[in-house]
Amino acid sequence: MKHLVISPILAPVHTPSRDDAVLLALVDFVTGEGLRPGDRLPTERVLAEHLKVSRTTVREALTRWQELGLVERRQGSGTYLKSAVTRNMLHVPLTLPSGNDFNSLMHTLEIRRGLEAEAAVLSAERASDEDIAFIEQKLIQMEEAFHARHGMSADEDWDFHLAVFRTSGNPLFEQIIAAMYEMFHRFWEHPLGVRDFGHASFPYHRTLFNAIAARDPVAARAEALKLIATVEDDLRRGAANLKKQNKKS
Amino acid sequence: MKHLVISPILAPVHTPSRDDAVLLALVDFVTGEGLRPGDRLPTERVLAEHLKVSRTTVREALTRWQELGLVERRQGSGTYLKSAVTRNMLHVPLTLPSGNDFNSLMHTLEIRRGLEAEAAVLSAERASDEDIAFIEQKLIQMEEAFHARHGMSADEDWDFHLAVFRTSGNPLFEQIIAAMYEMFHRFWEHPLGVRDFGHASFPYHRTLFNAIAARDPVAARAEALKLIATVEDDLRRGAANLKKQNKKS
DNA sequence: ATTGGCACAATGGTCCAACCAATTTAAGTG
DNA sequence: CACTTAAATTGGTTGGACCATTGTGCCAAT
């Protein structure tokens, strides 16, 4: 018996698994209730009872949300919303190979080079006056921290870059570069033994800000590239030091 | 009563959960056994018995891997490896609000713009003769597919770009842009109703290849940007069409 | 009034045993 | 050999129980 030719319009039947149904109901609940990040969700037992599914199923669904970073579970306390959730939200997990060798660290910088430059361009094109004031505030905080401790402060430095990404109007920049940043600082606070890592990048933060404030995309791109270039130089210098030490021993 | 100022060195303690232990053991098993994507993992019951944990715990761990796209579960058949897994892997769930509208699609292209240009530069700087022959092979396959069906073929097009990323010497490009690509094509094959999407980008594939083959990073960057620009134009055209249709109805 | 200790309830984490549903495999049947 | 059918396999779900951690309120000591 031959199969009939079926119109290709017929797509695979959408068989929503039980977890998906739970998650969908939970989205509606969160939006309907107007829950915001930090708020507590109903307990697993309550959810299971109301949704007429077993607690195990609820747990599997929440485990998925946890893996996506949408929710955080604290034993003895409850389950808390970690990020805003709406129905039309696309989640794509990104898995990156990481390492602490010179090449892997340089790879993260190559990604940053492309993305930070692009983000600077977009920020210069789109930033509102309030956005620019916001970036300047972060810049000043970073500069104050720099003078106070005579060196780069990782937190304030990151806050400044974050401000630029946020004003680019594209949330993906922040998420991807945050991953690069984490890979870079995952193992060492002083990568490869360089103590004043990032020191040379300091002046370019202000020049980058000036370019963005002047709504000059070309200049913003150039300054962002200079900034990354100094970090790459630091990294190469650290690799050279490491090589020298190995030769001695 | 005022709180004392605590040294910022104090970080939350690391409490490894049971799932993590299972996942770690599973990583070692996969690498030790040399399993490759497509291979079948042991059944949940077997894993539970060997790891001395309950099947529930194994299931929670596998659910997490499934959410990350590392593994695929088929009821009645088994659990299959979907992607290579190693110990040093960083998982970043990317979240893009409102997946199908014009702005979200454009956001993925903004990321591609920065990264494809950078990858083209690196490829032009580093590609060996064999690499260039490999890219050319993919280019020819794409061109043949184009002429055969009088339009862009998504698979061959992607293979060509993939070849460029791989010869850039940085595996991060492939991973990140693949995520952008998936976000873009998740819902519709013909974004926003544009039927010959990507048609205009065709000639720039060869000009990009020529620049890389000539070891000209500057030209390679320029051609990559032109290529993305045509896709962005297609997208804008699609958005305009959509707007017109909405006005009519 | 503040602090510290304590018991108790609430909540997520784990376990077990059974059954359901889809798939695969093998036996049976013409 | 082709097809059907039954059984075994495997992931999906359920209910109930218990453990580990956290939050809360009470109470005594200071």
Side-chain angles (χ1 to χ4, degrees):
Chain A
M1 171 84 179
K2 269 198 164 180
H3 281 257
L4 293 176
V5 177
I6 303 292
S7 165
I9 300 292
L10 242 47
V13 188
H14 189 235
T15 357
S17 74
R18 221 113 175 182
D19 306 358
D20 292 332
V22 170
L23 252 26
L24 267 186
L26 210 45
V27 169
D28 290 343
F29 174 81
V30 168
T31 58
E33 211 76 359
L35 294 188
R36 305 171 49 80
D39 290 346
R40 215 185 83 166
L41 271 62
T43 72
E44 300 175 348
R45 289 172 175 86
V46 171
L47 287 175
E49 185 181 358
H50 280 241
L51 298 175
K52 302 296 179 190
V53 294
S54 74
R55 190 179 152 219
T56 310
T57 304
V58 172
R59 277 190 61 77
E60 290 230 354
L62 286 179
T63 299
R64 292 173 51 191
W65 268 22
Q66 186 181 31
E67 199 65 15
L68 292 179
L70 298 182
V71 106
E72 180 184 350
R73 308 209 283 202
R74 289 203 288 270
Q75 184 174 175
S77 177
T79 304
Y80 298 85
L81 213 56
K82 205 172 159 190
S83 165
V85 294
T86 62
R87 197 178 261 271
N88 304 343
M89 216 164 216
L90 194 49
H91 303 286
V92 175
L94 177 61
T95 73
L96 301 170
S98 71
N100 62 1
D101 56 317
F102 170 75
N103 282 331
S104 296
L105 294 177
M106 191 56 91
H107 286 164
T108 67
L109 288 182
E110 287 169 0
I111 300 295
R112 280 187 64 183
R113 195 197 303 161
L115 291 186
E116 298 237 14
E118 194 64 28
V121 167
L122 294 177
S123 183
E125 288 174 346
R126 299 172 178 171
S128 66
D129 291 342
E130 294 78 25
D131 290 338
I132 290 179
F134 179 67
I135 300 177
E136 186 171 27
Q137 174 191 344
K138 296 300 180 185
L139 172 65
I140 292 174
Q141 289 177 2
M142 191 214 73
E143 288 176 339
E144 286 175 350
F146 180 87
H147 291 125
R149 38 160 52 191
H150 296 284
M152 293 296 291
S153 171
D155 287 340
E156 281 80 2
D157 173 64
W158 177 238
D159 283 344
F160 169 78
H161 289 280
L162 221 47
V164 175
F165 304 147
R166 296 222 167 114
T167 56
S168 74
N170 186 339
L172 290 175
F173 281 108
E174 177 181 339
Q175 299 182 42
I176 297 175
I177 302 184
M180 298 301 109
Y181 199 83
E182 183 184 339
M183 284 176 69
F184 199 100
H185 291 83
R186 191 162 179 169
F187 302 100
W188 271 296
E189 187 165 356
H190 305 297
L192 298 171
V194 178
R195 295 200 60 78
D196 56 346
F197 200 88
H199 194 99
S201 70
F202 176 74
Y204 295 108
H205 288 73
R206 179 157 284 279
T207 57
L208 171 59
F209 165 74
N210 286 339
I212 294 175
R215 308 298 207 292
D216 185 343
V218 177
R221 180 170 187 279
E223 296 305 323
L225 286 178
K226 287 185 201 167
L227 197 159
I228 295 289
T230 66
V231 183
E232 291 179 345
D233 282 343
D234 278 349
L235 185 58
R236 287 200 194 85
R237 193 154 46 92
N241 283 346
L242 212 60
K243 202 173 180 180
K244 197 186 298 179
Q245 289 180 8
N246 287 344
K247 192 174 290 183
K248 277 186 181 179
S249 65
Chain B
M1 177 72 187
K2 270 195 165 182
H3 282 258
L4 292 177
V5 177
I6 303 293
S7 164
I9 302 292
L10 245 46
V13 289
H14 185 244
T15 315
S17 77
R18 213 118 175 185
D19 307 0
D20 292 332
V22 171
L23 253 24
L24 267 187
L26 212 45
V27 168
D28 290 342
F29 174 81
V30 168
T31 58
E33 211 76 359
L35 293 187
R36 306 170 51 79
D39 290 346
R40 214 185 83 166
L41 271 62
T43 71
E44 297 175 349
R45 290 171 174 87
V46 171
L47 286 175
E49 185 180 357
H50 280 241
L51 297 174
K52 301 298 179 190
V53 296
S54 76
R55 190 175 155 224
T56 310
T57 305
V58 172
R59 278 189 61 78
E60 289 228 356
L62 285 179
T63 299
R64 291 174 52 192
W65 268 21
Q66 187 181 32
E67 197 66 14
L68 293 179
L70 298 182
V71 105
E72 180 184 352
R73 305 208 280 200
R74 289 205 287 270
Q75 185 174 173
S77 177
T79 304
Y80 298 85
L81 212 56
K82 205 172 158 189
S83 167
V85 294
T86 62
R87 201 176 255 271
N88 297 339
M89 274 189 319
L90 181 62
H91 304 287
V92 188
L94 295 181
T95 300
L96 192 55
S98 300
N100 188 26
D101 58 317
F102 169 75
N103 282 331
S104 297
L105 293 175
M106 191 58 92
H107 285 166
T108 67
L109 288 182
E110 287 169 0
I111 301 294
R112 281 186 64 183
R113 195 198 302 159
L115 291 186
E116 298 238 14
E118 195 63 28
V121 168
L122 294 177
S123 184
E125 288 175 347
R126 299 171 177 172
S128 66
D129 292 341
E130 294 79 25
D131 288 340
I132 290 180
F134 179 66
I135 301 177
E136 187 171 25
Q137 175 192 344
K138 296 298 180 186
L139 172 65
I140 292 174
Q141 288 177 2
M142 190 213 75
E143 289 176 338
E144 286 175 350
F146 181 88
H147 291 123
R149 37 159 51 191
H150 297 284
M152 293 296 291
S153 169
D155 287 341
E156 281 80 1
D157 174 63
W158 178 240
D159 283 343
F160 169 78
H161 288 280
L162 221 48
V164 175
F165 303 147
R166 296 218 168 118
T167 57
S168 74
N170 186 340
L172 298 180
F173 282 108
E174 177 181 339
Q175 298 292 326
I176 299 175
I177 302 184
M180 296 302 107
Y181 198 82
E182 185 182 341
M183 275 194 167
F184 198 101
H185 291 86
R186 189 123 169 179
F187 293 105
W188 272 288
E189 187 166 355
H190 305 298
L192 297 172
V194 178
R195 296 201 60 78
D196 56 347
F197 200 86
H199 194 98
S201 69
F202 176 73
Y204 295 108
H205 288 74
R206 178 156 283 278
T207 57
L208 171 58
F209 165 73
N210 288 338
I212 294 176
R215 308 299 209 291
D216 186 343
V218 176
R221 180 169 188 280
E223 297 304 323
L225 286 178
K226 286 184 200 165
L227 198 160
I228 295 288
T230 66
V231 182
E232 291 179 344
D233 282 343
D234 277 349
L235 188 58
R236 288 199 192 84
R237 193 154 47 92
N241 282 347
L242 212 62
K243 201 172 182 181
K244 197 185 299 177
Q245 288 180 8
N246 286 345
K247 190 175 289 181
K248 277 186 179 176
S249 65

